Amino acid sequence: RDIPITIHKVTGSTNEDAKALAVAGAVHGTMVLAEEQTRGRGRLGRSFYSPKSSGVYMSIVLRPNLAMTDAVLITTAASVAVSRAVEEVSNQTPGIKWVNDVFVNEKKICGILTEAVSGFESGVVECVVVGIGINVIDPGFPDELKQVAGSLSGQHCDFSRNRLAALVANHLLELSAALPDRSFLDEYRKRSVLLGKPIRFLENNVWCDAVAVDVDNSGGLVIETATGRRTLTSGEVSVRPR
Ligand code: BTN
């Protein structure tokens, strides 16, 4: 079956557009792409810098019909999908910083925002929107982003952003069909930039020290702290300088 794709020159947020389409009944795989976003949204209420013609700003409607325990892995799988696609178009090997930030040369080149649309209450996740923003060409990041944000290329890019978007979508659709078997988690662990490293995590507004030791089958980050082993299921983690 054909999958509808909407392409905007400018939009507020492709996640908002995709959620509206999803509520109106959009089929699994429906995509929204934009050349520019004026209100690009990030995790934890942040914004996502989305200047004209510099990145891939896309959202995909998924109707996974998965149990909550499997559906939580969609966002984990999306970071693997982006990493594979980036590797295919460029000769860079991306790393993943838990939960789902994709890094190249120690800079964040992609952020992913997954939002539930429906089915939450019934225990089965019927519909989610996965929003993916990849910085392709260096837009000249504002000062407050320069420390963390990077892009795949400089001013010119020798691959097509459309091809990158298509590869991401294909990998994500393939991975989301195979979530219950969790086989992609080994690839996620291999790509993780945190495992084995001293990290710092935010708890009750205080940074705590730990070492990242594993990613469990629910996508949780297993950490070793001074008081023992625990698993983080969400939140912010950063690598601790030695
Ligand atoms: C993050 O790093 O905090 C997540 C960023 C997600 C950005 C993408 S760009 C396409 C889609 N539309 C949005 O408004 N956000 C996501």
Side-chain angles (χ1 to χ4, degrees):
R1 187 161 59 173
D2 288 345
I3 291 177
I5 302 180
T6 308
I7 303 177
H8 295 291
K9 268 208 160 105
V10 188
T11 193
S13 155
T14 58
N15 261 33
E16 292 306 317
D17 299 335
K19 280 197 287 182
L21 292 177
V23 168
V27 297
H28 178 74
T30 298
M31 284 171 67
V32 180
L33 292 110
E35 191 69 2
E36 177 182 1
Q37 294 183 119
T38 53
R39 289 186 305 277
R41 295 177 32 222
R43 291 175 59 229
L44 309 170
R46 292 192 280 244
S47 62
F48 188 79
Y49 187 57
S50 318
K52 191 177 170 191
S53 310
S54 299
V56 166
Y57 315 122
M58 63 190 280
S59 299
I60 306 183
V61 176
L62 297 180
R63 297 193 176 275
N65 269 317
L66 291 172
M68 196 58 197
T69 46
D70 292 329
V72 290
L73 287 166
I74 290 173
T75 202
T76 313
S79 64
V80 172
V82 170
S83 301
R84 287 183 184 174
V86 165
E87 218 160 75
E88 282 160 358
V89 295
S90 68
N91 41 23
Q92 327 210 53
T93 309
I96 301 171
K97 182 175 155 269
W98 187 83
V99 182
N100 59 13
D101 289 340
V102 181
F103 275 65
V104 166
N105 297 328
E106 295 179 2
K107 291 274 169 74
K108 173 171 164 175
I109 56 99
C110 168
I112 299 170
L113 175 67
T114 302
E115 298 184 89
V117 177
S118 66
F120 233 48
E121 309 79 17
S122 55
V124 169
V125 177
E126 284 162 11
C127 185
V128 297
V129 163
V130 182
I132 299 172
I134 308 174
N135 306 324
V136 176
I137 291 162
D138 183 357
F141 290 103
D143 283 345
E144 67 273 19
L145 291 178
K146 266 187 194 141
Q147 296 293 321
V148 278
S151 55
L152 292 174
S153 326
Q155 301 298 312
H156 301 283
C157 166
D158 59 8
F159 57 83
S160 137
R161 282 181 292 138
N162 284 339
R163 177 153 182 264
L164 176 59
L167 288 167
V168 169
N170 285 337
H171 283 303
L172 181 57
L173 291 171
E174 189 188 308
L175 285 165
S176 65
L179 284 183
D181 80 18
R182 283 162 172 60
S183 52
F184 78 96
L185 278 174
D186 279 333
E187 181 177 344
Y188 180 92
R189 291 185 188 100
K190 280 196 198 108
R191 293 188 185 275
S192 170
V193 297
L194 293 185
L195 294 187
K197 301 253 171 66
I199 59 139
R200 173 168 286 175
F201 64 101
L202 204 52
E203 191 164 61
N204 304 324
N205 271 325
V206 179
W207 286 102
C208 309
D209 287 351
V211 175
V213 290
D214 198 8
V215 172
D216 73 9
N217 277 342
S218 312
L221 185 68
V222 183
I223 57 168
E224 197 76 58
T225 69
T227 54
R229 196 166 271 224
R230 318 176 19 189
T231 303
L232 303 177
T233 54
S234 67
E236 279 295 272
V237 165
S238 69
V239 180
R240 179 154 45 100
R242 282 175 203 266

